[in-house]
Structures are given as C-alpha cells and as structure tokens.
Amino acid sequence: MGTWHTLYTPCGAVQAWRAEPAGTPRGAVVVAHEIFGLLPHYQRLCERLADAGFIALAPAHFDLIEPGLVLSTDQAGADRGRSVVNRLGLDCGLDTTETAAQLLQAEGHEVGVLGFSWGGTVALLANTRLGLPAVSYYATRNPPYLDEPAQTPLMFHFGALDTAIPPDTIELHRQKQPQAQVFVYADANHAFNRDPDPAYHPQAAALAWERTLGFFGEYLQ
C-alpha cells in the first residue's frame, strides 16, 4: 500500500500519495489528476504503477485551494471541479508537478509524468517546459499549448466518442506534435480509464495502459 507525504511547492503545501515497487525501481512517475481531485482511483493507479516496477507519486493539487477536497464525478462535481482548477491554474499545477519530480530526481530516479484530463495538460507542459517524458490522457485544454516544442518523448490517448475532443482537435495534436505517439480508441469516451465510473471502457483502458507502461519502460531506463 502507498503512503501520504507532504510536498512543499511554490504555491503551498499539498499531500501526495506515494507507492513503491517491491524491487529496484525502473523509474518514477508523477501522476496528475483530473478536475475531481485525487480520487481513490488515482491511489489505485499508483499501486498499479508500483506493481509494474515504478515509483508513483500523485500530488493532491486541490490541497492548494481546499485541503482534502475530492469531488463526486457527476455533473455537480464537474462544475465545481472546473471552478477549482481555474482558480488553481496550470502554472501552480505545473509547479506542484515539478516539485514532485525534483524530489524523485534527487533520489536518483529518471522521472516521467502521467496526466488525465486537466492533468493531461499538466503532463504536456511538464514535457515542453520541464523536459520530462509525458503521457497525456484525454486532455481538453491542450490546444493552446501545442505549439510549444516537445523536449522529450510524448504520448497522447483519446476516446473516439469524446465530444469535448473532436477529430479535428485530435488531428491538431498530430500536426503540431508530429513526433508524438497519438492513439484513438473506438467506442471509448472521455475518462475511459476512470474505473469504476460509467465512462470506463475496459478494453480501451487496458490497451492504453499497456502502451503507457511500455512508454515509461522505454524512456525512463
């Protein structure tokens, strides 16, 4: 099981969930959550990364606004979550991610970033601005930042049924970041990786996870 740790970021203190592999780490991954806060789903995801051999560290970004805030994944939660991340800002999201990455780098680990939705854009910026290999899942806020040059390997995952990220937006990722790996999953919607919510698509989630682990296995050696 993982444990809670305190991170002292330029924007304030946050709690972060950390999971450790049983053996020698293959690398370390900072996890950036979506607009509902650090759901139990992300703690389980950290455990899965640890099972695959990676140290996982997931900051609770919402602690900068309201300590311990975790929202329901219904429409009311989404509405409040958008308000929270707009107050928080991507700059503080990135600063928090950088603090987590620096801690892991100081321990001697190669570090990547894995982000979902709002956190997927944090992951993109961690690549273009911090030089960290990054995997971004169904991030609706990416387009304004796609002209920023990638510094390291980059991977994107999208659901074909996600109306918030239509085909022309996905194509924009291919055009603006031609070196990146871009995957689209038929019959999958936004948040297709979020188990056990209704949007969860087990086949798409499993394939995307396999590709994500392969990515970090290759680029964090």
Side-chain angles (χ1 to χ4, degrees), residues 99-172:
T99 298
Q102 288 174 339
L103 182 148
L104 295 166
Q105 289 168 333
E107 296 174 359
H109 306 295
E110 294 293 327
V111 179
V113 179
L114 171 60
F116 299 83
S117 196
W118 176 80
T121 300
V122 173
L124 170 62
L125 296 177
N127 183 298
T128 62
R129 300 182 186 182
L130 305 179
L132 300 176
V135 178
S136 171
Y137 276 67
Y138 38 77
T140 61
R141 300 178 185 230
N142 283 352
Y145 307 103
L146 289 174
D147 284 321
E148 297 188 16
Q151 296 191 48
T152 50
L154 182 60
M155 178 181 283
F156 297 106
H157 298 290
F158 300 104
L161 303 183
D162 188 348
T163 58
I165 309 175
D168 59 340
T169 299
I170 297 173
E171 183 59 29
L172 190 66

Side-chain angles (χ1 to χ4, degrees), residues 177-194:
Q177 298 288 341
Q179 82 298 331
Q181 299 179 63
V182 179
F183 297 105
V184 182
Y185 301 89
D187 302 323
N189 211 320
H190 192 79
F192 66 78
N193 189 69
R194 193 201 306 137

Side-chain angles (χ1 to χ4, degrees), residues 38-163:
L38 194 64
L39 297 164
H41 163 72
Y42 291 102
Q43 293 168 266
R44 295 193 298 271
L45 188 146
C46 286
E47 305 300 333
R48 293 174 66 198
L49 284 168
D51 288 343
F54 301 97
I55 297 171
L57 188 60
H61 293 272
F62 282 10
D63 283 359
L64 297 172
I65 302 298
E66 182 180 326
L69 178 64
V70 177
L71 301 172
S72 61
T73 57
D74 56 15
Q75 188 59 52
D79 291 342
R80 187 175 179 201
R82 292 187 190 95
S83 175
V84 172
V85 296
N86 289 338
R87 289 172 59 197
L88 175 61
L90 285 167
D91 287 342
C92 277
L94 186 60
D95 283 345
T96 300
T97 299
E98 183 175 21
T99 298
Q102 288 174 339
L103 182 148
L104 295 166
Q105 289 168 333
E107 296 174 359
H109 306 295
E110 294 293 327
V111 179
V113 179
L114 171 60
F116 299 83
S117 196
W118 176 80
T121 300
V122 173
L124 170 62
L125 296 177
N127 183 298
T128 62
R129 300 182 186 182
L130 305 179
L132 300 176
V135 178
S136 171
Y137 276 67
Y138 38 77
T140 61
R141 300 178 185 230
N142 283 352
Y145 307 103
L146 289 174
D147 284 321
E148 297 188 16
Q151 296 191 48
T152 50
L154 182 60
M155 178 181 283
F156 297 106
H157 298 290
F158 300 104
L161 303 183
D162 188 348
T163 58

